[in-house]
Amino acid sequence: MIRRSNIKYLVLVLLAIYILHWSFTGTNLKVSWSEQPEPLESHKNLKLDTKIEQKEVTVPDNTRQIGKANACFVVLIRNSDLHEFRNTMRQLEDRFNHKYNYPYVFLNDVPFTEEFKKLTSALTKSKTEYDMGILNEKLEEMRKNEVIYGDSPGVHFYCDIDFDPFAYVRDHDIKYAFTISMYEYQNTIPTLWDTVKEFIKQYPQYIEKDNLMDFLSDDNGETYNLCHFWSNFEIGDLNFWRSETYLKFFDFLDKKGGFFYERWGDAPVHSIAAALFLKKHQIHFFNEIGYRHDNFMHCPKDDKLQLKCHCDPNENFDFDGYSCTGR
């Protein structure tokens, strides 16, 4: 059973897409590191054939913390996905985690098999913990509802990550980070935006003045353009999800019943909350992280980054008409 801890950041490397909300309590982990990795130079001079802007956030040196962040990987998975995930985990370890040894928390709706525990723990020197969640019923629900790729959990990491994203978000006051964004299906959230507008009207004090409403709406909030950050890969500050603002927002949505009577997913809910309640610089696009889940891939086009990757930049979803990243 996962025990309570002070874990602050988590990355969802393998997500069942439809997990709505849960209280993550983590495991009591003590980790340390000898030096602070510097951010990539590519943050300063990205050369992308797109309107995407990558701006480095300047933080005074005296605010930087030394060592690894208090973070973990959260993986939602079934026992039957073991061998497919071993490939993903091998890539994650080879590309990044063998240098930093962040722990893994595996969630399932049934007890993990001894084979699953043995083979996954053998792939890493990091601590691994296994707990029961709500995955299978959600995967089956998505399969029946024909949610695209909803029952397919495999992901790939294509680029060497030679800096620590967890430490980077910590040191640059970033609360939410992503690699892929896209449009949501309107028929899954027909009343979500009307509910959001009700919340804004009732609780204007929670809306950040320096927000990203322009990412969500083309008419200053009158309608929702359906853009959201794809939560199959996301790095989030748990203090934000536990904040008074987010909990007030989630409770407001929950009482409207859309999680049950419609199909409001975690991705648009997380995205709307981040865009409305955080400052612009607190949301970050990790161009350096080459990532794929089924047909959706972020592959950096920058020549220097391509030297560290093995993906085809011509297949980069960022430039697809269904992507919102250009916004």
Side-chain angles (χ1 to χ4, degrees):
M1 180 66 79
I2 301 175
R3 297 177 294 279
R4 183 170 301 277
S5 81
N6 295 320
I7 285 177
K8 184 178 181 183
Y9 298 102
L10 75 161
V11 56
L12 303 183
V13 297
L14 179 64
L15 186 64
I17 298 177
Y18 199 66
I19 302 303
L20 303 177
H21 182 81
W22 67 90
S23 176
F24 177 77
T25 55
T27 172
N28 192 7
L29 299 165
K30 303 288 186 180
V31 294
S32 61
W33 191 245
S34 60
E35 61 183 7
Q36 172 61 40
E38 289 298 320
L40 292 181
E41 286 299 313
S42 57
H43 279 283
K44 300 177 181 177
N45 299 301
L46 281 182
K47 298 178 180 178
L48 300 178
D49 299 327
T50 177
K51 296 180 181 179
I52 300 172
E53 295 184 7
Q54 189 81 359
K55 297 180 180 179
E56 183 180 11
V57 178
T58 301
V59 177
D61 289 339
N62 61 4
T63 67
R64 295 183 182 274
Q65 302 177 43
I66 303 300
K68 286 168 55 178
N70 195 11
C72 72
F73 297 102
V74 175
V75 184
L76 279 64
I77 193 168
R78 302 165 296 196
N79 287 313
S80 59
D81 294 317
L82 167 62
H83 297 296
E84 183 178 13
F85 178 70
R86 289 172 73 193
N87 179 50
T88 297
M89 190 171 177
R90 178 74 277 160
Q91 292 177 33
L92 186 59
E93 286 293 312
D94 291 345
R95 292 297 194 177
F96 166 70
N97 202 44
H98 72 281
K99 294 181 290 186
Y100 297 99
N101 295 318
Y102 282 108
Y104 291 81
V105 175
F106 294 94
L107 302 181
N108 199 345
D109 73 327
V110 298
F112 283 99
T113 64
E114 290 305 312
E115 179 189 30
F116 187 99
K117 295 178 183 179
K118 179 175 68 175
L119 295 182
T120 52
S121 62
L123 289 171
T124 181
K125 295 179 181 178
S126 304
K127 186 176 181 65
T128 56
E129 294 230 357
Y130 305 84
D131 192 38
M132 294 177 62
I134 57 172
L135 179 59
N136 277 345
E137 64 179 273
K138 294 302 180 183
L139 291 176
E140 178 62 18
E141 181 178 340
M142 287 186 291
R143 184 191 66 77
K144 290 180 179 178
N145 290 320
E146 298 182 348
V147 175
I148 187 169
Y149 309 121
D151 60 342
S152 178
V155 303
H156 299 278
F157 292 90
Y158 290 118
C159 304
D160 290 337
I161 307 173
D162 50 9
F163 69 108
D164 186 340
F166 292 118
Y168 186 85
V169 299
R170 178 197 64 196
D171 294 339
H172 290 79
D173 190 34
I174 294 166
K175 305 300 183 185
Y176 187 86
F178 70 101
T179 58
I180 293 174
S181 69
M182 62 178 63
Y183 293 96
E184 180 62 289
Y185 292 98
Q186 174 64 46
N187 60 1
T188 66
I189 54 167
T191 68
L192 175 58
W193 192 249
D194 287 337
T195 304
V196 171
K197 289 199 296 182
E198 286 184 46
F199 180 86
I200 294 173
K201 184 176 181 179
Q202 188 168 337
Y203 299 101
Q205 68 272 25
Y206 290 125
I207 308 304
E208 169 59 47
K209 292 182 180 179
D210 183 29
N211 62 49
L212 272 178
M213 175 64 84
D214 287 346
F215 177 76
L216 303 174
S217 176
D218 301 324
D219 51 18
N220 198 32
E222 183 61 30
T223 60
Y224 180 31
N225 62 21
L226 304 178
C227 281
H228 66 281
F229 308 117
W230 210 31
S231 58
N232 284 72
F233 178 98
E234 62 181 4
I235 299 178
D237 184 341
L238 290 180
N239 286 344
F240 174 61
W241 306 126
R242 295 165 174 160
S243 68
E244 174 186 339
T245 299
Y246 181 76
L247 292 177
K248 178 76 73 172
F249 177 66
F250 183 84
D251 288 343
F252 189 88
L253 298 184
D254 192 28
K255 290 176 182 177
K256 295 293 182 179
F259 291 118
F260 305 98
Y261 300 118
E262 295 179 12
R263 207 159 75 244
W264 299 354
D266 65 296
V269 171
H270 281 188
S271 301
I272 291 170
L276 294 182
F277 307 143
L278 297 177
K279 298 179 185 296
K280 291 177 181 177
H281 77 266
Q282 294 178 316
I283 301 177
H284 185 73
F285 168 54
F286 268 122
N287 185 50
E288 301 87 351
I289 300 178
Y291 173 84
R292 183 175 196 139
H293 178 66
D294 289 293
N295 289 337
F296 302 104
M297 176 178 69
H298 168 66
C299 179
K301 293 179 70 71
D302 181 86
D303 291 341
K304 291 182 180 179
L305 293 179
Q306 270 295 309
L307 295 176
K308 304 175 183 180
C309 303
H310 72 280
C311 54
D312 183 352
N314 294 316
E315 297 181 8
N316 191 353
F317 180 69
D318 297 350
F319 308 101
D320 187 282
Y322 197 63
S323 172
C324 291
T325 303
R327 300 181 64 87

